[in-house]
Amino acid sequence: MPKDKIFQETVTRVEKPSSHFILLRAPNGDFLGASDDGFATFDYVDDKAIWDTVEGTDTYRHVATGLVVEVESPRSKDGGYLRHQGKWLASNGTVGDVAALFSSGHGPAHLPSEYLKSIRENGWVCVPSIIALDVLEELERISCTGRWESGAFDQSVAPLLQSAAVAKIATEPVSLWLMRQYMGIDEIRLGHSPGFAILPKDDGKRNVQGWHSDFPYLWGIAGRATHRIPVHKVDGLVMGVQRNLCVSEFRKENGATCFKLGSHARGEGPPVEWGTGNANKEPGHREAKGLPYTGPEADVVEAPPGSYIVYDSRTWHRAGVNRTPHKRAAMLQAVIPMFMMPFKDTSRVYKEFINGPFVEALTDLEKRELEALMVNRMIGPAGHLAITVDDELTERIRPD
Ligand SMILES: [Fe+2]
């Protein structure tokens, strides 16, 4: 393909938001919200838990109801006591004489219901700049990208065991709520421990990723028949979503993911002539056949750093080509309903995490969420059973 005919994908740009809502956390990490019945705390974030600052005052306004709370002490990292019409808010949100310390933190730029509407209509959504800047810089540090580009990423240790920031982004509440709603099930889990995808500058020769659908569908990728869901068209059942965090800003030039937006609804994998997952891995493929399809039928989603791009796992996509001198980083998470088998064992990494130092940085709610996301379970007559890898049986089934 002539050089001027490549990289013709259609760009969809999600701008950096000019402002963000606020989330107010109780001491156990639950979120303060309100409904027609008054204040309450919730272990999830939907529109009920969204607050706005009232400029020039120490006051927060609840977006859905208009209720206001005043912050008693100056806003600090540790939070403040909240008062409504002269009464204190307790840790469960009840109004009375008992005060609790609530912390305020970075929230979404739009209401969660707007993101849900968008993913239901389009099969994908970007939740822009949802991750707080200090958490994001931690991810740059351990991935050795952005402000920390000069280092070398340690691939020998799971990212979850390198910084509390990974557990923080894995338990980010807006995207969790969104995925639960989109898949229609509260019990969701990670298909693998969160992993970095770091794309260096392209050298014009190396093979690039071909078009595919993500786990658990894996359409366009041969050779993984034990994990793949057979190609089918069923409306209303979603067996996986992909939640990718843009650690770096995602731009066409630095290899932002290329999609065929809307393809999740087709009930089929990407066309072979677009260059699918496997063919593009064969040695010398790029030199012989060129890049996978980069024409205008494909889409590139550009997004600011700290954004979650959440898409139906059936959506055809591939990594872009990085034409800048700087590495581009993302943190990838395949998320599935509890009834699906995970791609990789997450229980061992989780056990190491809870026995390590970073667990202490999590709230009680974040600890519960991470456990729910990483421990697969059977619930039956024998009670709750955690499913994990059995070494003896693993040895037995290994091919000679
Ligand atoms: Fe993928």
Side-chain angles (χ1 to χ4, degrees):
M1 195 182 289
K3 275 214 158 34
D4 58 354
K5 291 283 188 213
I6 60 177
F7 306 128
Q8 300 294 304
E9 299 97 340
T10 304
V11 173
T12 297
R13 180 160 182 79
V14 179
E15 297 294 345
K16 185 172 163 48
S18 55
S19 63
H20 285 262
F21 291 122
I22 298 285
L23 299 177
L24 295 174
R25 284 181 172 85
N28 67 353
D30 282 2
F31 297 93
L32 181 67
S35 62
D36 293 340
D37 300 331
F39 298 104
T41 51
F42 301 93
D43 60 3
Y44 58 91
V45 168
D46 64 3
D47 292 2
K48 289 194 298 291
I50 301 296
W51 296 82
D52 216 348
T53 45
V54 180
E55 215 168 300
T57 68
D58 275 346
T59 304
Y60 295 117
R61 185 181 65 89
H62 186 255
V63 173
T65 62
L67 288 168
V68 292
V69 291
E70 295 160 32
V71 187
E72 178 56 25
S73 62
R75 285 172 203 165
S76 70
K77 208 166 183 294
D78 297 329
Y81 298 103
L82 302 179
R83 202 164 46 185
H84 176 71
Q85 295 179 344
K87 297 272 189 185
W88 298 109
L89 265 68
S91 57
N92 64 358
T94 54
V95 179
D97 299 328
V98 183
L101 204 58
F102 285 83
S103 62
S104 65
H106 182 84
H110 310 90
L111 290 175
S113 60
E114 293 178 43
Y115 298 128
L116 180 61
K117 183 168 180 280
S118 187
I119 193 172
R120 280 184 172 154
E121 282 176 8
N122 306 311
W124 75 280
V125 70
C126 176
V127 185
S129 306
I130 185 64
I131 301 301
L133 290 177
D134 56 334
V135 176
L136 197 61
E137 181 163 2
E138 262 297 278
L139 297 178
E140 287 185 356
R141 185 181 67 78
I142 61 171
S143 64
C144 299
T145 60
R147 288 159 279 190
W148 297 80
E149 193 168 41
S150 57
F153 170 54
D154 182 358
Q155 295 193 49
S156 67
V157 179
L160 187 72
L161 306 176
Q162 296 190 33
S163 168
V166 178
K168 291 278 178 189
I169 65 110
T171 55
E172 189 288 310
V174 177
S175 55
L176 285 182
W177 176 80
L178 197 59
M179 294 189 294
R180 285 175 167 132
Q181 298 301 309
Y182 184 66
M183 288 195 274
I185 183 167
D186 283 341
E187 290 76 23
I188 61 172
R189 53 156 297 129
L190 288 167
H192 56 84
S193 185
F196 282 114
I198 300 168
L199 198 63
K201 180 184 187 321
D202 183 54
D203 60 4
K205 293 185 193 135
R206 78 166 72 96
N207 281 345
V208 301
Q209 192 182 45
W211 287 91
H212 64 283
S213 303
D214 272 335
F215 178 77
Y217 296 94
L218 299 177
W219 298 342
I221 300 176
R224 285 181 175 167
T226 52
H227 285 96
R228 188 173 51 233
I229 293 176
V231 173
H232 67 276
K233 186 160 175 33
V234 177
D235 290 331
L237 176 63
V238 184
M239 291 184 270
V241 296
Q242 187 73 20
R243 179 175 61 158
N244 289 351
L245 179 68
C246 307
V247 177
S248 316
E249 181 184 6
F250 262 40
R251 289 178 288 116
K252 187 174 180 178
E253 289 73 27
N254 74 353
T257 313
C258 299
F259 295 94
K260 174 61 182 168
L261 296 176
S263 55
H264 66 292
R266 296 191 182 201
E268 59 186 357
V272 174
E273 57 273 22
W274 275 29
T276 48
N278 285 84
N280 278 271
K281 277 190 178 161
E282 286 162 18
H285 179 88
R286 182 169 174 186
E287 276 183 290
K289 300 275 174 66
L291 290 167
Y293 178 73
T294 61
E297 293 293 306
D299 305 276
V300 170
V301 175
E302 295 192 335
S307 302
Y308 257 137
I309 297 176
V310 183
Y311 58 89
D312 190 306
S313 301
R314 289 168 287 190
T315 310
W316 310 343
H317 67 282
R318 61 173 180 79
V321 176
N322 186 353
R323 289 168 281 147
T324 74
H326 300 291
K327 290 180 281 185
R328 176 285 260 163
M331 178 147 261
L332 310 185
Q333 298 156 85
V335 182
I336 49 175
M338 190 60 78
F339 57 76
M340 297 297 301
M341 188 166 78
F343 200 31
K344 292 181 182 164
D345 177 40
T346 51
S347 60
R348 288 178 196 229
V349 177
Y350 176 71
K351 275 173 79 174
E352 279 192 64
F353 177 80
I354 55 174
N355 291 314
F358 300 123
V359 68
E360 296 311 322
L362 304 190
T363 65
D364 292 347
L365 175 60
E366 287 168 336
K367 287 175 190 166
R368 284 204 309 278
E369 286 286 34
L370 193 69
E371 187 161 280
L373 288 168
M374 296 193 74
V375 181
N376 217 33
R377 65 202 67 196
M378 282 190 284
I379 303 167
H384 286 57
L385 301 176
I387 308 170
T388 184
V389 169
D390 183 287
D391 289 332
E392 206 178 322
L393 291 177
T394 300
E395 206 50 50
R396 195 179 163 89
I397 62 162
R398 276 206 170 129
D400 294 332

